[in-house]
């Protein structure tokens, strides 16, 4: 498509994704209280306290958590719109690939959120452990929720990338040999992203994110390489069959 058509496509995809996000955010308001209790539970378990530092802080954080929940609940929609923008004009088999992409991405996104929540107490142990014994750590809820939401989203989004790699390989955009050729750069970027996502440079959080990412990346790379080999064999067999058919037709014409 021309640049103008790409921009129109992007606008339409963004509009659909934002509408889905808005509707899911409205639903997130009804889940605000239980989700907030779940998010602050690790602080309470560590003996800390969460403090609302201003009059409007509860309302601000209600919006923040609702948008976060909206992002999670609308993930099937915005993930599909992302895929449809990257691979426009889907054919029938590519539409099946898109559905498979969504079917794998959403569970991995949710798994990443769960993994981040599992890591959260370990990160809090490190940070709250630095509090002097004669002091009480009263955590500002704004700062804490920013920290938690960033951690959750970093884990969730990071686990989608390998699935995106496989999807792009299936539709012929990303060959496996390109991934293998640049594996060192990819491993470095994974570790870099994990280090940036780890709050305060916490090593445990970094390894907890980098480990599953490297495993999923290795599995995705292996799948892409095997898929390319099978595709090459099918093409070679088809070319041999066509050559044999053409040779037989030539012999008949000669007779």
């Amino acid at each position: 498509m021309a640049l103008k058509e790409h921009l129109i496509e992007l606008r339409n995809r963004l509009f659909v994704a934002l509408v889905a996000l808005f509707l899911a955010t409205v639903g997130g308001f009804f889940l605000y209280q239980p989700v907030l209790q779940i998010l602050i539970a690790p602080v309470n378990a560590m003996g800390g306290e969460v403090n609302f530092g201003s009059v409007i802080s509860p309302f601000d954080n209600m919006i923040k958590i609702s948008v976060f929940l909206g992002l999670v609940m609308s993930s099937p929609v915005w993930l599909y719109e992302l895929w449809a923008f990257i691979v426009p004009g889907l054919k029938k088999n590519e539409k099946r690939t898109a559905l498979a992409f969504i079917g794998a991405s959403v569970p991995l996104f949710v798994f990443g959120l769960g993994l981040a929540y599992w890591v959260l107490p370990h990160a809090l142990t490190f940070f709250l452990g630095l509090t002097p014994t004669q002091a009480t750590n009263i955590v500002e809820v704004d700062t804490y929720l920013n920290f938690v939401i960033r951690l959750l989203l970093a884990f969730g989004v990071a686990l989608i990338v390998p699935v995106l790699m496989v999807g792009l390989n299936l539709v012929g955009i990303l060959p496996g040999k390109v991934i293998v050729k640049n594996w060192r750069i990819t491993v470095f970027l994974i570790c870099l992203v994990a280090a940036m996502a780890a709050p305060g440079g916490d090593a445990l959080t970094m390894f907890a994110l980098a480990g599953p990412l490297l495993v999923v990346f290795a599995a995705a790379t292996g799948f892409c390489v095997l898929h390319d080999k099978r595709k090459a064999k099918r093409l070679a067999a088809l070319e041999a069959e066509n050559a044999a058919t053409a040779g037989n037709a030539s012999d008949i014409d000669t007779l």
Side-chain angles (χ1 to χ4, degrees):
M1 292 187 294
L3 177 60
K4 183 179 179 180
E5 293 174 333
H6 274 295
L7 294 176
I8 294 174
E9 176 80 5
L10 177 61
R11 181 196 64 188
N12 294 338
R13 298 293 177 188
L14 281 175
F15 177 76
V16 174
L18 289 174
V19 169
L21 175 61
F22 173 77
L23 295 176
T25 299
V26 173
F29 276 101
F30 299 97
L31 300 174
Y32 163 69
Q33 288 291 345
V35 171
L36 178 63
Q37 294 300 319
I38 292 173
L39 294 180
I40 66 175
V43 178
N44 296 332
M46 293 293 300
E49 298 178 11
V50 174
N51 179 48
F52 289 87
S54 65
V55 175
I56 64 172
S57 182
F59 179 73
D60 287 342
N61 288 286
M62 179 184 293
I63 295 177
K64 186 181 301 181
I65 292 179
S66 298
V67 172
F68 168 70
L69 290 173
L71 191 64
V72 175
M73 291 187 291
S74 65
S75 58
V77 177
W78 57 260
L79 282 170
Y80 177 81
E81 296 301 325
L82 171 65
W83 178 261
F85 177 72
I86 295 175
V87 188
L90 297 177
K91 299 177 182 178
K92 185 176 180 180
N93 61 327
E94 292 174 344
K95 288 182 179 179
R96 289 197 295 266
T97 303
L99 294 176
F101 169 75
I102 301 302
S105 296
V106 174
L108 277 176
F109 180 65
V110 175
F111 173 74
L113 299 179
L115 182 63
Y117 188 76
W118 175 80
V119 169
L120 181 59
H122 300 281
L124 291 177
T125 300
F126 171 77
F127 291 113
L128 294 179
L130 301 176
T131 305
T133 56
Q134 297 179 349
T136 300
N137 197 323
I138 301 177
V139 182
E140 287 290 338
V141 69
D142 296 329
T143 304
Y144 174 72
L145 287 180
N146 288 337
F147 156 71
V148 173
I149 291 175
R150 189 187 75 173
L151 183 67
L152 292 173
L153 290 179
F155 273 64
V157 172
L159 288 180
I160 297 175
V161 176
V163 185
L164 183 62
M165 289 167 45
V166 171
L168 293 177
N169 176 263
L170 289 175
V171 296
I173 295 178
L174 183 62
K177 62 181 181 181
V178 174
I179 303 174
V180 174
K181 183 179 178 181
N182 298 284
W183 72 270
R184 294 179 180 84
I185 298 175
T186 306
V187 170
F188 172 76
L189 290 176
I190 288 174
C191 294
L192 180 62
V193 170
M196 293 174 63
D202 178 30
L204 179 61
T205 306
M206 183 187 74
F207 286 121
L209 175 57
L213 255 182
L214 291 172
V215 171
V216 178
F217 166 73
T221 302
F223 178 90
C224 293
V225 171
L226 289 176
H227 175 261
D228 287 349
K229 287 183 178 180
R230 291 175 181 174
K231 185 176 180 181
K233 287 182 180 180
R234 288 196 299 268
L235 289 175
L238 182 60
E239 289 176 358
E241 182 180 350
N242 291 336
T245 304
N248 293 334
S250 178
D251 292 340
I252 294 175
D253 292 338
T254 301
L255 292 174

